[in-house]
Amino acid sequence: MSQARWIELDGAVNVRDVGGLPTSDGGAVQPGRLIRSDNLQELSPRDVDLLVNELGVRTVADLRTGVEVHHEGPGPLTEVDDVEVRNLSLLPEAGDHTDVAADGKVILPWEKRNTEQSSERHGTSAVYLGYLDDRADSIIAALRLVAHSEGATIVHCAAGKDRTGTVVALALAEVGVEREAIITDYARSSERIEAIFDRLRATRTYARDLTDTEPHEHAPRESTMQRLLDGIDAEFGGPAAWLRAHGWTDEDAAALRHKLLDD
């Protein structure tokens, strides 16, 4: 099975091009179309040059909350004329304390938010299903950004594994990437989990919540993505059915296939 290619940057550690992942009809995702990443605010000038001028990045779907962007910064790609950066939070956004608890604590993407969940939902996959419940609008917007833009698109959040993993999985499923390949790609972020946590612990936004947390406790596991996809099948009739129930069209689907699969 072909694997997505790691992209080595100075200012991000969990970055890979999903090109090469196989589809069930014998095709493959083309390189230089969809890149997944952890946060980008520490990109060096060399990184920006590599992403924009060598890899052809033209759009960025930033899945972080408004609070995260406010505290951590939007990143240097927002200053590049040829690149469009859109903030598309996967958590609810409302009021002056958007995405924070009453005491001002930032709500992290892996933390439980919904008090009422199906008895069939549990663990990290339940959090991911919560993204579909809470922010279908952002997920559809992110996929449309990928589908209808020229050049490469980066999808990223803070760690590049939870929110990013959910959106990328839906994109790959929609164009027919083999389920095993989607699951394997998701879990590859575990190879960089120590470096991911080193970066997050170096920031005021995330450090307090990660002080007593072992990185391996949050390493993505294949079973989590399997449960997510199984949950989408059981609750919504599959990724394609969920997308279309939330405004995704046949034209969107065709554009995404063209973007990710056509030579």
Side-chain angles (χ1 to χ4, degrees):
M1 179 187 299
S2 298
Q3 292 188 333
R5 179 175 64 88
W6 288 108
I7 299 171
E8 303 298 340
L9 300 177
D10 300 324
V13 297
N14 187 22
V15 189
R16 58 188 183 273
D17 185 329
V18 302
L21 296 182
T23 60
S24 57
D25 61 2
V29 177
Q30 295 296 311
R33 310 295 174 83
L34 178 58
I35 297 169
R36 54 180 299 161
S37 179
D38 51 337
N39 58 64
L40 302 176
Q41 70 267 12
E42 297 176 346
L43 294 181
S44 69
R46 185 195 75 88
D47 294 337
V48 172
D49 180 67
L50 173 65
L51 292 172
V52 176
N53 297 320
E54 294 189 36
L55 299 182
V57 171
R58 293 296 178 265
T59 52
V60 177
D62 182 349
L63 306 180
R64 297 176 300 162
T65 66
V67 166
E68 289 172 282
V69 174
H70 173 74
H71 285 294
E72 294 297 307
L77 287 179
T78 60
E79 301 174 6
V80 179
D81 291 339
D82 293 337
V83 177
E84 176 188 1
V85 179
R86 294 190 61 190
N87 182 225
L88 299 166
S89 173
L90 292 200
L91 297 179
E93 303 243 5
D96 294 335
H97 296 289
T98 298
D99 304 316
V100 295
D103 63 355
K105 174 180 174 291
V106 174
I107 297 176
L108 297 175
W110 50 81
E111 294 179 334
K112 182 177 179 180
R113 304 182 316 284
N114 296 326
T115 57
E116 296 182 5
Q117 291 183 340
S118 164
S119 60
E120 299 300 318
R121 295 186 180 188
H122 58 88
T124 304
S125 62
V127 176
Y128 297 176
L129 287 166
Y131 301 151
L132 276 65
D133 295 336
D134 294 339
R135 295 309 302 264
D137 59 330
S138 288
I139 294 172
I140 296 295
L143 294 184
R144 283 183 172 144
L145 185 66
V146 177
H148 296 286
S149 62
E150 300 294 329
T153 301
I154 298 177
V155 176
H156 82 92
C157 53
K161 63 187 185 69
D162 300 300
R163 293 168 285 186
T164 297
T166 300
V167 170
V168 169
L170 286 168
L172 297 176
E174 176 64 359
V175 301
V177 171
E178 294 177 356
R179 182 160 291 198
E180 181 182 355
I182 296 172
I183 292 168
T184 299
D185 176 66
Y186 162 79
R188 289 195 71 200
S189 290
S190 63
E191 299 173 26
R192 302 291 176 98
I193 197 65
E194 294 282 351
I196 292 168
F197 267 61
D198 285 346
R199 287 196 72 213
L200 295 178
R201 283 172 171 158
T203 70
R204 290 185 297 175
T205 304
Y206 308 106
R208 181 178 65 175
D209 299 282
L210 300 178
T211 300
D212 299 320
T213 300
E214 293 298 324
H216 68 83
E217 295 176 359
H218 294 288
R221 295 172 174 81
E222 291 188 356
S223 58
T224 298
M225 181 53 64
Q226 181 70 65
R227 285 196 300 271
L228 171 63
L229 296 172
D230 288 347
I232 295 173
D233 289 344
E235 294 192 35
F236 308 111
W242 182 87
L243 288 168
R244 281 157 182 79
H246 292 87
W248 185 254
T249 68
D250 290 343
E251 289 76 16
D252 292 327
L256 186 64
R257 285 187 61 84
H258 174 72
K259 170 75 172 281
L260 296 187
L261 302 183
D262 290 351
D263 292 336

